[in-house]
Amino acid sequence: QVQLVESGGGLVQPGGSLRLSCAASRITFSMYRMDWYRQAPGKQRELAASITSGGVTSYADSVKGRFTISRDNAENTVYLQMNSLKPEDTAVYYCNAYDGFNRYWGQGTQVTVSS
């Protein structure tokens, strides 16, 4: 069974940083595009950052310049480095793997930005 396990969430003050990790198992990780989605209370899930199998990255305008997505194919892990965090970044962050046919989700990790 495919597993995506997120970690690294927590409570941080505005202006702080967090690094999320998502470890994948039972997929050919290097063949998948990896995404970080987020869902704030009362809002729809939105795509925050994406990295293709070839390493091309893209970001939502709301996180551009503050968040960095990266991947380690040897470790089957994707990361999201989040800097200059704002209260509006508060959300559950989900890892997603997509190869054009199959799509898998992690269980999510809570990020709360508050003083």
Side-chain angles (χ1 to χ4, degrees):
Q1 185 176 349
V2 174
Q3 280 193 315
L4 299 176
V5 180
E6 299 101 333
S7 60
L11 173 65
V12 64
Q13 292 187 339
S17 298
L18 282 175
R19 188 193 195 203
L20 305 184
S21 300
C22 171
S25 59
R26 299 183 181 88
I27 60 171
T28 306
F29 180 80
S30 62
M31 301 295 291
Y32 280 74
R33 189 188 80 204
M34 300 300 297
D35 304 322
W36 283 100
Y37 282 78
R38 65 184 185 179
Q39 188 167 18
K43 295 189 176 181
Q44 288 190 328
R45 192 172 296 190
E46 65 173 2
L47 178 62
S50 183
I51 185 166
T52 69
S53 57
V56 177
T57 60
S58 60
Y59 299 92
D61 287 343
S62 57
V63 308
K64 202 172 292 183
R66 300 186 299 120
F67 290 11
T68 302
I69 188 171
S70 60
R71 65 190 299 158
D72 184 338
N73 288 340
E75 296 293 330
N76 288 358
T77 301
V78 62
Y79 303 97
L80 186 68
Q81 177 67 44
M82 305 186 295
N83 299 328
S84 303
L85 283 161
K86 304 175 181 180
E88 51 263 44
D89 294 318
T90 295
V92 178
Y93 283 71
Y94 297 91
C95 175
N96 176 268
Y98 181 62
D99 68 353
F101 298 97
N102 305 295
R103 183 180 294 275
Y104 303 103
W105 291 94
Q107 83 287 351
T109 185
Q110 176 71 46
V111 171
T112 302
V113 184
S114 175
S115 55

